[in-house]
Amino acid sequence: MLSFERRFFKEGYRFLAGVDEAGRGPLAGPLVAAAVIFPEDYRNEDIDDSKKLSARKRESLFGPIQENALAYGIAVLGAEDIDRLNIYQATRVAMGKALESLSPRPDFIITDAMPLEGLACPALPLVKADAQCLNVAAASILAKVTRDRLMDELDALYPGYGFRRNKGYGTKDHLEALERLGPIPGIHRRSFGPVKAALEKKVLLF
């Protein structure tokens, strides 16, 4: 998990940021991006790609990541922003916001496959970076836990959609609820196909 970090530390970089997101694919809920800078000597063998970890394990790592990071940032974009920008551009914006909140500022950035432009330092978009780089894996955990907590809050507000279970993804129970109850304004992504279809049937929940 540290081979890429070691390479860039040897090249003289000091503040290496990893950035990742959670929530590109769901039909509902926010997109969350996170960025993390660890000290050069930080090690934690429990940190891995968030998709490989259980929800309980991710939660247990959330606090230690924040406590041991030199800096971390979390950015949240809602459904309306996603619809306005499109999901690709929204991901870039959210990652940029997470990076902008870091202090100290990064001098090198590794992203999980997403190319970013207009940065003040070099950046490497690396495929499956969350499975190869400690800082990116940590960012993936912060983003995933933050988003899951937000979806749990939405589940309490809108219990008919099963958000605690499906986290807004297009599962069978979510699609059935969407058909039955209609999209929730400001929560469901109107630019996504199944939500569009429900809107065309004029089934709206206000």
Side-chain angles (χ1 to χ4, degrees):
M1 291 291 287
L2 287 163
S3 60
F4 283 95
E5 281 91 344
R6 290 193 187 102
R7 166 187 161 188
F8 294 116
F9 285 137
K10 286 180 180 178
E11 292 179 9
Y13 296 105
R14 295 180 59 208
F15 303 119
L16 179 61
V19 61
D20 201 1
E21 53 72 32
R24 288 183 72 175
L27 306 178
L31 172 75
V32 179
V36 174
I37 299 175
F38 280 131
E40 183 175 349
D41 60 353
Y42 182 69
R43 306 287 185 271
N44 188 327
E45 294 183 358
D46 289 331
I47 293 175
D48 202 347
D49 175 4
S50 64
K51 296 185 290 297
K52 297 180 180 179
L53 304 175
S54 67
R56 179 175 294 183
K57 188 65 173 180
R58 291 192 297 265
E59 281 283 355
S60 73
L61 289 166
F62 190 83
I65 289 170
Q66 294 176 313
E67 292 162 8
N68 289 281
L70 287 175
Y72 70 89
I74 300 172
V76 179
L77 289 188
E80 293 178 348
D81 290 322
I82 293 167
D83 290 335
R84 175 174 57 85
L85 295 167
N86 76 51
I87 189 62
Y88 182 84
Q89 292 300 330
T91 300
R92 298 180 71 178
V93 168
M95 286 184 169
K97 288 180 177 295
L99 289 165
E100 287 169 7
S101 68
L102 297 176
S103 180
R105 306 292 288 178
D107 55 10
F108 197 93
I109 296 165
I110 299 177
T111 77
D112 187 27
M114 175 62 70
L116 299 177
E117 299 175 352
L119 300 173
C121 67
L124 172 68
L126 181 65
V127 176
K128 296 185 178 179
D130 49 4
Q132 302 180 71
C133 299
L134 183 70
N135 291 14
V136 181
S140 77
I141 293 169
L142 293 189
K144 176 63 174 168
V145 171
T146 299
R147 187 178 192 281
D148 284 355
R149 290 176 178 178
L150 292 172
M151 294 308 298
D152 288 347
E153 292 176 8
L154 288 177
D155 183 76
L157 292 172
Y158 307 101
Y161 293 85
F163 289 144
R164 185 177 291 274
R165 297 187 305 276
N166 60 52
K167 304 304 182 191
Y169 283 87
T171 61
K172 181 180 178 183
D173 68 322
H174 187 189
L175 292 173
E176 289 175 351
L178 192 60
E179 179 77 15
R180 183 175 69 255
L181 301 172
I184 306 168
I187 304 300
H188 279 96
R189 303 173 183 181
R190 292 171 174 249
S191 57
F192 282 44
V195 181
K196 275 184 179 179
L199 286 168
E200 288 171 0
K201 293 181 180 180
K202 301 184 184 301
V203 183
L204 291 172
L205 178 66
F206 293 99

